[in-house]
Amino acid sequence: MKKIIVGIIIFSGIYAFLYAAEPEPIPQQSAGAPACITDNETTAGSILLSLPGLEGGLKRPAVSFDHEKHTRALGESNCRTCHPDSLNNSLVFTFPKNPPDTDDEEALMNAWHNACISCHTERGAEAKPAGPLTCGECHVRATTRTPAKHVPILPSYYEPVRDTYHDECLACHNEPARTAQDAPVLDWKKFQVLQGSRPEPQIPQAGFDYQRHALHTSTLDKDCGLCHYLSEKKHRALADEGREPQCRDWQLEPNPEGAWREQDFAHARCVNCHFKRTANEEKKSGPLLCSKCHTSSARAPEEMLDVTRSNCEQKEKILIHSNESTIMDAVPFNHAEHQLRTQACQDCHHNGIQACHECHTVNGDEKAEFVTLAQAFHREDSTRSCVGCHETRKKKPECAGCHQQLPSSLTAADACVTCHSGSLEALNQKRSTAPPESLIAPDVQDTWQIEKLGETYKKVTFNHLEITRTLAAVCNASPLANYFHTDEMALCAGCHHYSPLEPRKPVPGCRTCHDAKAVNASGRPDLMGAYHQQCLGCHRQTGGTEEKMPQTCDGCHAHTQQ
Amino acid sequence: MNRRGFIKRISSITGAAAFGVAPKKSAPQQGRSEESLAVLVDTTLCVGCRACEQACNEINPDLPLIPNDFFNDDSVFKRRRRMDTSAFTVVNRYQPDNSVAPVHVKFQCMHCLYPACVSACLVGAMTRDAGGAVVYDEKKCIGCRYCIAACPFQVPAYEYTLVLTPRVRKCTFCLKTCLTQGEVPACVAACPMRVMTFGPRAELITIGRTRIRKNPKHYIPHIYGEHEAGGTAWMYLAAAPFEQIDLPNLGYHPLPGYTEPVQHALFKWFLAPLGLFAVLAGAMWYNKRRNKQTEEDT
């Protein structure tokens, strides 16, 4: 009994002590001490500083480095605080100033730490705005984002069917077996699946669009050599020919030991030039702050219609072809029209302005990362390919109403010859802009009533002529639509699918195929389903007003009860 | 009998019971899915008008009659509903990551090919009709609600408020109201967008695959319910990942396949009760002998 009482006393003593000894609050930084920079101006964003190759892995989260914050704190023209000079007195945008000689990442880490912390300490001592000194203030765990990676597995839902339904898989995968011999080689394990989210670049790209190019050209008095590069050899060759370098003569700058990334070239050229012009107090100089070039909003092509496109001796209309023999005819291409609908040449051309077939060969080449000529033009998931860009265009509200119900452009029966016509003549063709009344069969009324709606709903007034006129207006408004809807009856195909269409000839009505009573065994909807899927499908995609394109029941047919 | 021998005997008995316990996952028999009737729901077509909910309420007279206004009220989409004693089917609205427009999904009993509720029912009140419907017989039900716990889709509801005559409530596939009269289920007939297609299961799978193949970018290339939990009669096509529209990832093996081998093996030849009685008898005999010995010793 004695033992228990002693135990209780000791225990309660410890308990009381622990509660009494509450940690003292950490003293706040006094007013005089240097505070962290807290300017609320928006910056371009942060770069993630990480050393993935560090032995034993990273012990702390990577540093999310806000470059612009530092530029503002140090002053725009004090780049030399962090970046070293090169031989010809221009800046090299590497960090730190005195990098270690070895490739060892631990040495690099120490150099970073020395450079950052010494500066933070010095500035802190001088009571200037300075960065933090404790580890956890720089090494902040960023919002977790699972890095995207390609995993060589099928999605789990394929597992039960993986061996039996090869044709099912190949229906969607873009790379079907080309020959019968190929087919057995296809291994389902080789299908790669993207898992996780692709980390978005934290700083938006500095888009060099037509507007910026024109601005630079006029400011720099068309001295293209200030930005573009020409090798000694090419220089001499041009001098021998006795002509000035043209757009297509400019070359890619050689990469010293392959160590420079694309942005390193841009920074070396752009920022150095801006830096020098600012230092010489020239009238027009470019910005030095990150967010002035790295703007998050890109200029839409429509805003740059009046900007003169660079003259690279490009023809207005060209015939896209290959130097190798191909089975398909060449594609007429209106370069001038496409120039007006892109933000920069690089939207289609990668680096430089060569023709596509110079790198993309029929069988694929290392230069183009083995993207074949056919893929370069036809890949639906690319923003650079013809088909990819046109497919995106078809998702615009005014197009999607019809096109979401139609098969993809590559699977349509006459898809190939629409583009591969082989002559420039095709570019002159235009869809007939005749009034749509002239296409409709003579005995078709302008409007009619859809009846037999059961007891719940009243009749629907269906305005056939107005719908046709709207479609015609949409097609006439866009040169793209006008070019591709060559068949004047293409207007009608969105609704009258699977029907032969000829001007002024009667078209089979909906109920020819869609039975009023039963759902067809093949899953074809009955008449009510067909009406609703067709009408509402278009109305929902187009997103028009409730009055013109209703999306609710009462918008088309009134309730009988009310 | 010494202590060691006693433990040996017990372990041999439990070992025998455990021998047949290794869980076997029974695969779907081929015939089962071919014959049964099914419904294919194309969620990409649904506009959320809830005509199906209304039709369901009208065709089932023992459901409380809900006024017309409720089915035109858009505010029900604010919360995620589930089936209850007043509704055998509900339509919910979702906003998946990959879609701008909201997605509407109709829920009801999935009428599994290998229903967990049927497997869990002690008295056979839940049965699977040869046509494919999983039906409930309130006369047999004892109210244990094992079916509610067993259902992976959280379908059955229980009338807790009815103290004396509570029932389990769930979609009947309109077996008595429509199917036996040669009609399609009420919700399928009512749908103005024809989101649902009713027919033999094998044909619907072909229809679903054809739709995916014709429009591969539009759909997730999978028919939910073709294989899930061994297959269900109600199958779904969707443009959004199925997890995001509340269709759970259940694996492809019939759920009773996980529990039945254990239970059936345990009770094979009355082995588990016999084993228990043997253990009890052994313990009795041992205690009796020990008591006798202590008596003799004293």
Side-chain angles (χ1 to χ4, degrees):
Chain A
M1 196 64 195
K2 233 179 199 175
K3 273 183 189 169
I4 293 172
I5 292 169
V6 172
I8 289 173
I9 290 169
I10 292 173
F11 183 75
S12 52
I14 294 169
Y15 198 74
F17 174 76
L18 282 176
Y19 260 70
E22 221 172 81
E24 275 182 36
I26 300 162
Q28 294 290 319
Q29 277 182 331
S30 58
C36 202
I37 306 153
T38 51
D39 79 13
N40 291 326
E41 278 181 85
T42 46
T43 60
S46 299
I47 319 163
L48 214 58
L49 301 182
S50 179
L51 293 166
L54 209 62
E55 204 173 311
L58 292 172
K59 292 195 179 99
R60 287 196 173 257
V63 173
S64 186
F65 178 79
D66 193 330
H67 191 283
E68 191 161 351
K69 220 173 180 179
H70 287 78
T71 320
R72 284 179 198 276
L74 293 167
E76 286 181 22
S77 43
N78 284 331
C79 304
R80 286 194 169 80
T81 316
C82 301
H83 299 296
D85 274 323
S86 78
L87 291 175
N88 52 7
N89 202 28
S90 58
L91 283 160
V92 183
F93 293 98
T94 55
F95 181 77
K97 253 179 149 173
N98 307 312
D101 297 332
T102 57
D103 284 343
D104 184 23
E105 288 212 337
E106 196 167 336
L108 187 59
M109 180 186 78
N110 290 334
W112 281 1
H113 282 158
N114 283 341
C116 296
I117 298 171
S118 65
C119 185
H120 287 188
T121 323
E122 277 170 32
R123 289 179 65 85
E126 293 167 24
K128 285 179 186 167
L133 290 170
T134 56
C135 310
E137 283 175 285
C138 287
H139 292 276
V140 181
R141 193 169 294 284
T143 44
T144 48
R145 196 194 282 117
T146 44
K149 55 179 176 184
H150 280 86
V151 188
I153 52 155
L154 279 180
S156 58
Y157 42 74
Y158 273 118
E159 273 195 12
V161 295
R162 67 189 178 205
D163 295 325
T164 37
Y165 298 100
H166 243 157
D167 55 335
E168 301 275 329
C169 308
L170 295 179
C172 310
H173 283 279
N174 287 334
E175 273 296 274
R178 286 198 190 84
T179 59
Q181 283 83 26
D182 272 7
V185 185
L186 276 175
D187 180 2
W188 68 269
K189 282 178 185 153
K190 284 188 186 151
F191 287 120
Q192 303 263 319
V193 179
L194 189 69
Q195 281 191 347
S197 59
R198 198 186 284 276
E200 287 165 24
Q202 295 203 315
I203 293 186
Q205 275 203 328
F208 207 79
D209 52 25
Y210 294 125
Q211 174 103 48
R212 277 191 183 160
H213 191 265
L215 189 74
H216 280 82
T217 322
S218 65
T219 314
L220 303 173
D221 296 330
K222 296 190 179 173
D223 190 354
C224 307
L226 280 175
C227 301
H228 294 286
Y229 172 80
L230 215 55
S231 70
E232 285 291 316
K233 196 178 157 195
K234 184 91 182 176
H235 227 332
R236 259 181 271 127
L238 284 173
D240 291 346
E241 281 179 49
R243 66 177 177 93
E244 290 289 305
Q246 298 294 324
C247 285
R248 60 187 67 235
D249 295 324
W250 300 116
Q251 294 167 315
L252 275 185
E253 205 166 335
N255 197 343
E257 293 161 22
W260 278 29
R261 298 159 300 170
E262 208 175 319
Q263 64 257 44
D264 295 332
F265 286 108
H267 285 148
R269 287 249 179 218
C270 304
V271 183
N272 261 319
C273 186
H274 292 183
F275 193 68
K276 276 178 193 160
R277 288 178 73 90
T278 315
N280 297 345
E281 291 177 0
E282 285 187 53
K283 261 187 193 171
K284 281 184 179 176
S285 167
L288 285 166
L289 280 179
C290 311
S291 60
K292 294 278 155 49
C293 292
H294 292 269
T295 46
S296 50
S297 58
R299 225 175 257 113
E302 291 79 36
E303 295 172 45
M304 294 186 287
L305 285 179
D306 53 342
V307 178
T308 343
R309 303 302 194 242
S310 346
N311 177 18
C312 305
E313 294 179 329
Q314 68 269 46
K315 285 177 191 155
E316 191 191 337
K317 291 170 183 175
I318 51 170
L319 211 51
I320 296 181
H321 62 96
S322 165
N323 291 342
E324 302 165 79
S325 69
T326 48
I327 45 167
M328 297 306 295
D329 282 334
V331 177
F333 179 75
N334 193 330
H335 195 276
E337 283 284 348
H338 285 82
Q339 256 182 192
L340 289 177
R341 277 158 188 87
T342 47
Q343 291 173 321
C345 305
Q346 279 71 44
D347 283 6
C348 302
H349 299 281
H350 306 251
N351 295 317
I353 44 163
Q354 303 94 323
C356 309
H357 65 80
E358 281 176 29
C359 297
H360 295 286
T361 57
V362 171
N363 290 321
D365 189 87
E366 202 182 341
K367 269 191 287 181
E369 289 174 1
F370 296 101
V371 176
T372 62
L373 188 68
Q375 283 175 352
F377 291 123
H378 298 109
R379 273 184 77 144
E380 290 187 32
D381 57 348
S382 164
T383 51
R384 281 205 170 97
S385 78
C386 308
V387 174
C389 194
H390 282 202
E391 285 294 318
T392 325
R393 186 67 185 74
K394 286 200 296 199
K395 290 199 178 100
K396 288 209 172 181
E398 64 266 31
C399 311
C402 286
H403 280 286
Q404 56 114 13
Q405 319 219 10
L406 294 169
S408 140
S409 56
L410 288 182
T411 50
D414 56 348
C416 308
V417 287
T418 313
C419 295
H420 291 269
S421 61
S423 81
L424 282 173
E425 280 302 299
L427 289 178
N428 301 326
Q429 74 188 5
K430 261 199 151 186
R431 200 192 68 82
S432 149
T433 47
E437 291 91 325
S438 62
L439 304 175
I440 303 169
D443 56 335
V444 174
Q445 290 164 321
D446 292 349
T447 60
W448 61 81
Q449 309 277 327
I450 299 173
E451 295 175 38
K452 286 182 189 166
L453 292 172
E455 289 158 12
T456 328
Y457 292 104
K458 291 178 186 165
K459 294 173 189 170
V460 178
T461 311
F462 182 76
N463 200 330
H464 184 258
L465 186 66
E466 199 189 321
I467 292 174
T468 327
R469 278 182 180 155
T470 313
L471 291 174
V474 168
C475 291
N476 291 337
S478 145
L480 175 73
N482 209 314
Y483 179 73
F484 279 99
H485 296 104
T486 41
D487 183 359
E488 49 195 359
M489 296 303 282
L491 291 184
C492 316
C495 297
H496 296 279
H497 49 200
Y498 313 122
S499 303
L501 297 167
E502 276 179 61
R504 301 195 72 74
K505 290 270 173 65
V507 176
C510 304
R511 59 188 73 206
T512 317
C513 302
H514 296 282
D515 196 87
K517 291 216 178 84
V519 177
N520 186 282
S522 65
R524 185 192 305 156
D526 65 355
L527 191 62
M528 176 175 75
Y531 277 142
H532 283 135
Q533 285 180 16
Q534 197 82 297
C535 300
L536 262 177
C538 179
H539 288 197
R540 289 171 88 202
Q541 290 290 331
T542 317
T545 55
E546 184 66 23
E547 188 196 353
K548 281 240 169 194
M549 297 199 136
Q551 293 181 40
T552 57
C553 309
D554 296 344
C556 291
H557 33 56
H559 264 274
T560 42
Q561 294 154 354
Q562 286 153 9
Chain B
M1 183 194 183
N2 59 8
R3 203 179 114 98
R4 183 175 290 174
F6 177 68
I7 291 169
K8 242 184 192 173
R9 272 192 199 186
I10 285 191
S11 58
S12 69
I13 291 167
T14 42
F19 189 68
V21 167
K24 277 181 275 176
K25 292 165 186 168
S26 51
Q29 299 138 22
Q30 276 301 314
R32 195 161 212 185
S33 61
E34 303 287 320
E35 293 157 11
S36 59
L37 289 166
V39 177
L40 180 71
V41 185
D42 189 338
T43 59
T44 62
L45 291 173
C46 184
V47 291
C49 71
R50 295 166 66 217
C52 48
E53 284 187 32
Q54 190 167 17
C56 179
N57 189 261
E58 279 166 12
I59 198 95
N60 289 299
D62 54 346
L63 281 178
L65 190 70
I66 297 171
N68 208 348
D69 292 345
F70 173 73
F71 298 106
N72 296 323
D73 180 11
D74 217 35
S75 64
V76 294
F77 289 127
K78 279 179 190 158
R79 66 185 186 89
R80 182 170 148 262
R81 297 180 297 153
R82 51 159 294 200
M83 286 67 78
D84 57 23
T85 49
S86 66
F88 290 164
T89 180
V90 294
V91 179
N92 281 336
R93 180 182 282 173
Y94 298 91
Q95 189 58 62
D97 299 340
N98 66 349
S99 149
V100 185
V103 173
H104 299 93
V105 186
K106 176 189 183 291
F107 294 96
Q108 69 298 308
C109 174
M110 301 287 277
H111 298 280
C112 308
L113 302 190
Y114 298 89
C117 55
V118 173
S119 172
C121 187
L122 301 175
V123 290
M126 286 278 184
T127 43
R128 186 177 177 277
D129 178 76
V134 175
V135 282
Y136 166 72
D137 186 353
E138 60 186 74
K139 283 177 194 147
K140 285 186 188 164
C141 180
I142 55 168
C144 70
R145 309 186 300 280
Y146 279 9
C147 50
I148 297 176
C151 177
F153 300 102
Q154 304 174 40
V155 170
Y158 194 65
E159 290 176 326
Y160 286 101
T161 46
L162 298 182
V163 180
L164 297 176
T165 57
R167 292 169 297 177
V168 169
R169 308 297 281 143
K170 75 165 206 65
C171 160
T172 60
F173 215 153
C174 287
L175 184 66
K176 280 178 193 155
T177 43
C178 302
L179 295 197
T180 46
Q181 279 120 53
E183 286 171 24
V184 300
C187 52
V188 177
C191 179
M193 287 294 280
R194 293 291 180 252
V195 170
M196 291 161 276
T197 319
F198 174 79
R201 195 166 180 274
E203 276 179 32
L204 293 186
I205 291 173
T206 318
I207 291 174
R209 286 195 188 147
T210 316
R211 279 192 204 171
I212 294 171
R213 190 184 293 147
K214 275 190 181 166
N215 212 339
K217 272 190 279 175
H218 189 56
Y219 292 103
I220 297 272
H222 178 60
I223 303 173
Y224 185 92
E226 186 187 351
H227 298 282
E228 269 71 14
T232 56
W234 281 67
M235 297 174 289
Y236 288 79
L237 288 176
F242 292 105
E243 287 87 6
Q244 291 183 20
I245 53 169
D246 267 357
L247 291 169
N249 186 2
L250 295 172
Y252 304 114
H253 298 291
L255 296 183
Y258 291 106
T259 51
E260 281 179 7
V262 181
Q263 290 170 343
H264 291 184
L266 215 58
F267 290 94
K268 218 171 200 175
W269 305 306
F270 212 57
L271 209 65
L274 277 182
L276 179 68
F277 292 144
V279 169
L280 290 177
M284 253 171 85
W285 172 76
Y286 179 73
N287 281 343
K288 215 172 179 181
R289 217 187 80 173
R290 200 176 60 175
N291 288 349
K292 211 173 173 184
Q293 272 178 353
T294 35
E295 262 174 43
E296 277 170 13
D297 290 348
T298 49

